[in-house]
Amino acid sequence: MLKMMTFFQGLPGQQSVPGTLNFPGSPQKLPSVSESESEASMSEASSEDLVPPPEAVVAPDQEQQEAAKKKKPTVLSNMFSIFTKGKKKRGQPSLVEPPLVPESKPGLDGPIPTVEELKAALEQGRLEAARPLLVLEQELAAAAAGGASQEELVRRQSKVEALYVLLRDQVLGVLRRPLEAAPERLRQALAVVAEQERADHQAVAAAAATTAEAPGAAALAATRPRRWLQLWRSVVAEVAAERLDTRPAAGAEGRSEAERIFQHLGCTVKEDLEAVVERLKPLFPAEFGVVATYAESYHQHFAAHLASMAQFELCERDTYLLLLWVQNLYPNDILNSPKLAEELQDVSLGSLLPPKQIRLLEATFLSSEAANVKELMARALEMESQHWAQDVAPLRLDGHCHSELAIDIIQIVSQGQAKAENITPDLGTQMKQVLLVELSVLLRSYQRAFDEFLERGKQLRNYRANIIANINNCLSFRTSMEQKWQILQDPRSYLLDPLSELKGHGFDALLQNLFMDLKPLFKRFTQTRWAAPEETLEEIVGTVEGRLPEFSELHDCFREELLEAVHLHLVKEYIIRLSKRCLVLKTAEQQQQLAKHILANASVIQDFCTKNGSTATWLNPALPTLAEIIRLQDPSAIKIEVATYATCYPDFSKGHLNAILAIKGNLTNSEVKSIRNILDINTGAQQPSRSLFSLIKVG
């Protein structure tokens, strides 16, 4: 018994040998009985120890076998011939088949071969020897039940197990490199594994049904179940490890070590699993689950690689690549590829990393990417500010002053968001919110830097050109935020506010000299007591028209907005002159004459501004309605006009009304008070969407 136990220490449990699926390598042998021990064991007992002596023996080598075949079939060849008769050429074998061997031996064409013959056959790789070996194993059990001696049983079992080691090495050697084996030989190896699985099931069932132990059973070591199907799965796991552990070849320059590893792992898994689906699945029995087995082994080893990498502090690039493979490329481009998607739909592989670890990596990625975007945007703004200070002329593009700042900032933010979206859409949404906050901070810094330039750069030659370039920038920013990032078109938006302020301050700087030139011209209205308002307004319009070419390098939309600002300024200044209380008209005729001048001037202002691009139609009633209030003599009619006017311009106050009514010197105090009180009805009815009278100060 001690000798037998020593022998079984060399038999396999769950051990296998590393190998490859598709490429040749240097396989190691499975644990087996040493050559000397095997030979000694084989020589200790004659063939009478196991079976009756054969009538003939197998030729010792291939040449002798071929020569012998021409003369007379050997007993072993006759024995093996029973496995080829009536063999199916198509279809997959099943693990659920009738019993392997009958209790007697009526199905054999001749005597069972000797141990030496089986050993020689197995060493030559003849897998047909598996069936007679199984018969020998069953006869050993029968001998134990028949009362054979303990010493004889141990000796005979040692021979059977030594032969099983040879058979196992041959079978698993074929299954280790299934793509290198001939299809027929691969089918033979698979049939042997299936046969051994059935023998395992039968042995387990028999043991469960047996109530009393056979007299000599205690002398035999338990060898069933052998679990060769599990051994095959272990071999597949080792093949996956060997394939994925191979060091990737040097790739293109600029790729990090981690990037080459990811590329190697991903390509290997995809190519090997596709080979399994296309070339192995048609040959393997369905019960083997060959696709699922390979997929699970490769998945587990891929996951082990990534888990090992995730234990270390990764750089920003490697963190991104890790998430990209775990969340996108592996599940979508590999597992869901056209050749694998249907095959793997019922295989539960799960994620390559635990959800908690993925969330930690995503948080790290979001933080580092936001910091990176922030730094890049700040650097771009700093470079742009230096260009202003150094009086560098802006680029000209399609006749417009152009700056690259908006393009750079948009590209930086878009790339950050795109990286996150490449991982998962949900992470892209999270990144969008983070980056828009950083963008709002950048735009506020941009607006402050621009304001400083407006104050300090007035003497620079390219001062106005750079102002125009920065105003034009607002279009690119606004378009991207409203379309690409779906920011609501709300002027009060925290993102659009800095741009609106920048544009407004830029307009003020561009129009400052023009408005200063217009100021003395507007004063002439009051200085001449409206003696020749047409001539004065004509000079005002001529001055504005002469300065319009200075704004031609603005984008069309901003040139229109600038003309709206000019339009507003002309109307506002005209109203200011009317509100100076320096003109009091006592008669209706005088008031009607002034109203006529105001209407004429309003028409000139409106026509000029509209022709040059102003769309500020909301200013059109401002002067004509004031002219009507001045023209009317009936207090009730005046009240109606005032009420309507207050609806159009909610910032029209009692102070503004008093200034206009002061022109009408024929109204009594009670009439003025009654007209003024009409504004109390409309007070607080609505807030002005645009400012006109709030820009006009009255005493």
Side-chain angles (χ1 to χ4, degrees):
M1 178 64 74
L2 178 60
K3 179 181 178 181
M4 182 183 70
M5 296 305 295
T6 303
F7 168 81
F8 277 106
Q9 289 177 357
L11 292 179
Q14 296 295 329
Q15 300 176 356
S16 304
V17 192
T20 61
L21 170 67
N22 199 19
F23 303 96
S26 301
Q28 304 171 10
K29 288 189 177 181
L30 286 163
S32 61
V33 181
S34 66
E35 294 293 335
S36 60
E37 183 179 350
S38 178
E39 292 293 342
S41 299
M42 294 300 180
S43 63
E44 284 182 11
S46 66
S47 60
E48 288 86 351
D49 291 330
L50 295 174
V51 293
E55 296 178 1
V57 295
V58 180
D61 55 38
Q62 190 66 31
E63 293 181 359
Q64 291 175 344
Q65 287 182 16
E66 292 176 358
K69 286 179 183 178
K70 296 178 181 179
K71 297 178 181 179
K72 182 179 180 180
T74 65
V75 174
L76 182 59
S77 63
N78 290 336
M79 178 67 190
F80 289 150
S81 68
I82 67 171
F83 302 112
T84 60
K85 292 180 180 180
K87 185 175 181 180
K88 288 185 178 181
K89 296 297 183 181
R90 296 174 184 169
Q92 295 182 331
S94 170
L95 294 180
V96 183
E97 291 186 5
L100 300 172
V101 187
E103 295 183 1
S104 59
K105 310 172 192 173
L108 303 179
D109 290 343
I112 297 176
T114 66
V115 169
E116 289 80 3
E117 289 174 323
L118 289 178
K119 178 176 181 293
L122 290 173
E123 288 176 344
Q124 294 169 8
R126 300 180 64 181
L127 302 182
E128 301 94 326
R131 183 65 64 86
L133 176 55
L134 186 59
V135 173
L136 292 183
E137 181 184 8
Q138 292 175 341
E139 289 195 349
L140 177 62
S149 68
Q150 177 176 328
E151 182 179 354
E152 178 187 1
L153 293 174
V154 169
R155 184 170 60 252
R156 291 174 66 174
Q157 187 179 43
S158 68
K159 304 304 179 284
V160 171
E161 294 308 313
L163 292 175
Y164 264 118
V165 170
L166 293 176
L167 177 61
R168 183 199 65 189
D169 288 350
Q170 290 291 341
V171 169
L172 295 184
V174 172
L175 297 182
R176 182 178 300 282
R177 293 179 176 80
L179 296 180
E180 297 176 7
E184 188 58 33
R185 182 164 177 78
L186 177 58
R187 288 191 182 96
Q188 281 184 320
L190 293 170
V192 172
V193 174
E195 186 177 58
Q196 290 299 316
E197 283 295 300
R198 291 192 296 273
D200 282 349
H201 295 325
Q202 291 177 2
V204 171
T210 301
T211 57
E213 190 178 61
L220 297 177
T223 59
R224 292 283 178 185
R226 297 185 185 276
R227 297 186 176 90
W228 280 23
L229 188 61
Q230 184 59 41
L231 281 178
W232 166 70
R233 293 193 179 104
S234 299
V235 167
V236 172
E238 293 174 1
V239 169
E242 182 178 297
R243 293 283 291 140
L244 297 181
D245 287 345
T246 303
R247 187 174 181 83
E253 293 184 5
R255 285 189 174 183
S256 67
E257 179 71 15
E259 195 168 358
R260 291 199 300 272
I261 291 174
F262 287 132
Q263 188 73 17
H264 162 69
L265 293 174
C267 290
T268 302
V269 170
K270 187 172 186 289
E271 292 170 2
D272 287 6
L273 292 185
E274 287 179 350
V276 170
V277 169
E278 293 174 347
R279 300 175 60 185
L280 294 187
K281 185 184 176 185
L283 301 177
F284 272 66
E287 293 86 348
F288 277 65
V290 62
V291 176
T293 299
Y294 273 94
E296 289 166 358
S297 295
Y298 275 74
H299 175 85
Q300 290 169 5
H301 207 70
F302 199 156
H305 267 282
L306 299 193
S308 177
M309 294 180 66
Q311 298 301 317
F312 299 95
E313 184 175 349
L314 301 174
C315 66
E316 294 177 12
R317 174 68 176 168
D318 291 347
T319 299
Y320 167 68
L321 288 173
L322 182 58
L323 286 170
L324 183 64
W325 275 96
V326 170
Q327 298 283 72
N328 182 3
L329 298 182
Y330 181 72
N332 296 325
D333 292 4
I334 296 179
L335 300 185
N336 203 36
S337 64
K339 294 181 180 179
L340 299 179
E342 184 177 353
E343 301 293 338
L344 298 177
Q345 63 182 353
D346 295 327
V347 182
S348 300
L349 296 178
S351 175
L352 289 171
L353 289 177
K356 182 177 180 181
Q357 193 168 24
I358 291 175
R359 288 194 297 271
L360 290 174
L361 288 170
E362 287 179 342
T364 300
F365 168 74
L366 290 173
S367 176
S368 61
E369 190 63 26
N372 186 46
V373 167
K374 181 178 180 179
E375 180 182 352
L376 291 175
M377 291 193 300
R379 191 181 306 166
L381 177 57
E382 177 62 25
M383 291 179 62
E384 183 71 11
S385 300
Q386 290 177 3
H387 289 165
W388 306 337
Q390 295 167 3
D391 201 21
V392 177
L395 300 172
R396 260 69 177 186
L397 184 64
D398 297 331
H400 305 297
C401 291
H402 175 72
S403 167
E404 293 289 322
L405 178 62
I407 296 175
D408 292 342
I409 297 298
I410 293 167
Q411 187 174 18
I412 291 168
V413 176
S414 298
Q415 287 176 348
Q417 184 180 351
K419 286 176 66 176
E421 287 177 341
N422 285 342
I423 297 172
T424 64
D426 179 64
L427 193 62
T429 301
Q430 295 180 50
M431 178 61 78
K432 173 184 173 182
Q433 301 305 319
V434 172
L435 295 185
L436 288 181
V437 171
E438 296 297 338
L439 178 60
S440 70
V441 174
L442 181 279
L443 292 178
R444 184 57 67 185
S445 298
Y446 177 31
Q447 180 249 314
R448 287 195 295 265
F450 184 67
D451 285 349
E452 291 180 9
F453 167 69
L454 293 180
E455 290 295 323
R456 300 178 181 178
K458 294 179 180 179
Q459 305 303 318
L460 298 176
R461 182 179 58 180
N462 294 299
Y463 177 69
R464 295 178 65 85
N466 276 315
I467 291 175
I468 292 175
N470 281 282
I471 293 174
N472 288 339
N473 266 340
C474 295
L475 179 62
S476 299
F477 277 123
R478 189 173 64 194
T479 301
S480 294
M481 286 185 287
E482 291 176 350
Q483 297 179 1
K484 183 178 179 62
W485 299 316
Q486 299 178 350
I487 301 300
L488 296 176
Q489 299 183 23
D490 180 359
R492 293 169 294 180
S493 166
Y494 69 98
L495 275 170
L496 297 179
D497 278 350
L499 295 176
S500 297
E501 292 182 30
L502 184 148
K503 179 187 65 178
H505 296 171
F507 283 168
D508 291 343
L510 292 177
L511 295 172
Q512 185 177 22
N513 291 338
L514 172 61
F515 291 169
M516 289 180 64
D517 292 345
L518 294 179
K519 192 171 184 178
L521 297 178
F522 275 106
K523 284 184 177 181
R524 195 179 299 172
F525 282 115
T526 52
Q527 290 171 350
T528 62
R529 297 177 63 82
W530 302 89
E534 288 79 4
E535 291 79 358
T536 301
L537 185 62
E538 183 179 348
E539 191 171 349
I540 290 172
V541 170
T543 301
V544 173
E545 189 172 22
R547 304 290 286 273
L548 290 182
E550 297 178 7
F551 314 121
S552 62
E553 292 182 312
L554 282 167
H555 283 304
D556 292 347
C557 60
F558 295 129
R559 191 163 57 249
E560 291 176 1
E561 286 189 54
L562 184 133
L563 260 295
E564 289 182 17
V566 172
H567 193 171
L568 173 61
H569 182 77
L570 296 180
V571 173
K572 180 194 70 173
E573 289 297 318
Y574 199 99
I575 294 174
I576 289 175
R577 293 302 130 188
L578 285 175
S579 304
K580 286 298 183 179
R581 297 177 182 264
C582 59
L583 182 65
V584 178
L585 303 177
K586 298 287 187 180
T587 66
E589 291 76 8
Q590 291 174 322
Q591 294 171 17
Q592 291 170 1
Q593 184 64 28
L594 177 60
K596 182 179 178 181
H597 288 315
I598 294 173
L599 283 174
N601 290 341
S603 178
V604 170
I605 292 173
Q606 180 178 330
D607 291 345
F608 171 76
C609 292
T610 301
K611 181 184 70 173
N612 285 284
S614 172
T615 58
T617 56
W618 64 280
L619 291 171
N620 292 347
L623 294 178
T625 304
L626 290 180
E628 186 66 9
I629 292 172
I630 294 172
R631 185 188 69 82
L632 290 173
Q633 301 300 310
D634 180 14
S636 297
I638 295 175
K639 288 180 182 179
I640 294 173
E641 287 297 325
V642 169
T644 303
Y645 200 61
T647 302
C648 294
Y649 304 101
D651 55 350
F652 182 62
S653 67
K654 290 183 178 181
H656 298 110
L657 179 56
N658 283 337
I660 298 301
L661 293 179
I663 298 174
K664 299 176 70 65
N666 57 353
L667 290 176
T668 65
N669 290 336
S670 61
E671 289 174 335
V672 170
K673 184 177 180 180
S674 176
I675 295 171
R676 187 174 61 229
N677 288 340
I678 198 67
L679 294 179
D680 293 335
I681 301 174
N682 297 286
T683 300
Q686 65 181 82
Q687 295 296 322
S689 58
R690 301 178 181 90
S691 297
L692 173 58
F693 286 94
S694 59
L695 303 176
I696 300 171
K697 296 180 180 180
V698 291

